[in-house]
Amino acid sequence: MRIVVQDAPFDFGAEAEAFASGRHDMGAIVTFTGVVRDFGNGGLDAMEIEHYPGMTQKALEAIAAEAVTRWSLGDVLVIHRYGRMEPGEKIMMVATAAPHRKDAFEAAEYLMDYLKSRAPFWKKEHATTGETSWVAAKDEDEDALTRW
Amino acid sequence: MNVLYFAWVRERIGIPKETVTTDAETVADLVAELRAREDRYDLAFSDLSALRVAVDQELTDFDASIKGAREVAFFPPMTGG
């Protein structure tokens, strides 16, 4: 299990390859990466992500540890950035390794659902007009937790 | 104890962190003390349903005890991922 919280960009391809390599008993590797999405009209200048140093690492470790108890997993990777990112930049990634794909897919979805609403990150959008706004949590993100 | 504020709670109160001396027994008691201080606190805490709280870096609720706690943090619902 590897949990990384950093401001620097990460190399998604290299991380995914390193995570998938050298495993002989894991038949399934699932990866997900979240990307800064523009409003659709080129209006987003940047996304700024604030976090709670001290709590973030522990919260992510607890979420990953819970996933390991619920599914048959060989390994889990979570990388989550904070700071300023431009549209197209990767914000975070999760990877799961499991003997079978069902466990790998479900665990990856569980990790995503929980780190959306239970890991102490807050997103702020900076529009090209100079306006800023905090991204509001969605009810559907909270509802997503009830399925687990 | 240290009281921390994040995201718009930090912006509304105007500081990221402060040291508070209090006899408050629960988070809700601490919130009541803070609200009584100044308008900016009263405004930030006016709708508790829009806020989340962590005591010693663990998510909890407003009824939670803060006896012996070192750190209480207030913030809006999280938007990770």
Side-chain angles (χ1 to χ4, degrees):
Chain A
M1 191 162 101
R2 185 166 153 251
I3 311 294
V4 183
V5 181
Q6 63 182 35
D7 60 352
F10 60 90
D11 184 333
F12 176 64
E15 292 290 353
E17 178 57 30
F19 184 81
S21 295
R23 302 187 188 279
H24 303 285
D25 49 357
M26 296 293 131
I29 308 288
V30 165
T31 61
F32 171 88
T33 187
V35 179
V36 178
R37 181 168 49 91
D38 202 343
F39 299 139
N41 57 0
L44 182 72
D45 184 42
M47 179 84 87
E48 182 188 342
I49 299 184
E50 180 172 334
H51 80 120
Y52 182 172
M55 180 174 165
T56 312
Q57 183 85 23
K58 283 194 287 186
L60 293 176
E61 283 170 4
I63 292 166
E66 179 64 23
V68 168
T69 68
R70 291 186 182 215
W71 288 276
S72 173
L73 297 176
D75 203 1
V76 173
L77 167 66
V78 178
I79 301 175
H80 204 304
R81 294 178 62 196
Y82 58 88
R84 187 181 185 281
M85 285 156 242
E86 293 178 1
E89 280 194 65
K90 295 172 191 71
I91 303 170
M92 51 77 60
M93 71 173 286
V94 301
T96 54
H100 304 288
R101 69 178 172 175
K102 189 163 185 286
D103 288 306
F105 270 121
E106 286 186 6
E109 283 213 79
Y110 172 91
L111 289 168
M112 286 311 306
D113 283 349
Y114 268 82
L115 68 86
K116 247 192 142 46
S117 334
R118 292 291 183 273
F121 293 98
W122 300 275
K123 294 194 180 104
K124 188 181 199 179
E125 291 170 337
H126 293 254
T128 50
T129 57
E131 285 173 27
T132 63
S133 62
W134 290 99
V135 174
K138 298 186 188 76
D139 288 342
E140 65 203 54
D141 290 338
E142 191 64 30
D143 294 345
L145 302 185
T146 60
R147 68 174 163 143
W148 305 111
Chain B
M1 72 180 64
N2 289 320
V3 180
L4 281 64
Y5 310 107
F6 292 97
W8 60 253
V9 184
R10 168 177 57 72
E11 290 179 343
R12 216 164 276 185
I13 291 175
I15 47 172
K17 182 180 178 178
E18 62 185 319
T19 304
V20 173
T21 305
T22 179
D23 294 322
E25 299 207 346
T26 66
V27 174
D29 295 342
L30 175 63
V31 168
E33 282 184 16
L34 292 170
R35 289 190 72 172
R37 279 180 168 186
E38 286 178 51
D39 282 352
R40 60 194 167 110
Y41 290 93
D42 195 32
L43 195 65
F45 289 107
S46 60
D47 179 9
L48 291 189
S49 71
L51 291 178
R52 300 290 179 268
V53 59
V55 173
D56 287 337
Q57 304 180 349
E58 294 274 353
L59 286 172
T60 185
D61 51 48
F62 286 85
D63 298 329
S65 169
I66 53 168
K67 280 289 172 198
R70 296 180 310 281
E71 188 169 296
V72 178
F74 296 101
F75 41 79
M78 294 150 276
T79 51

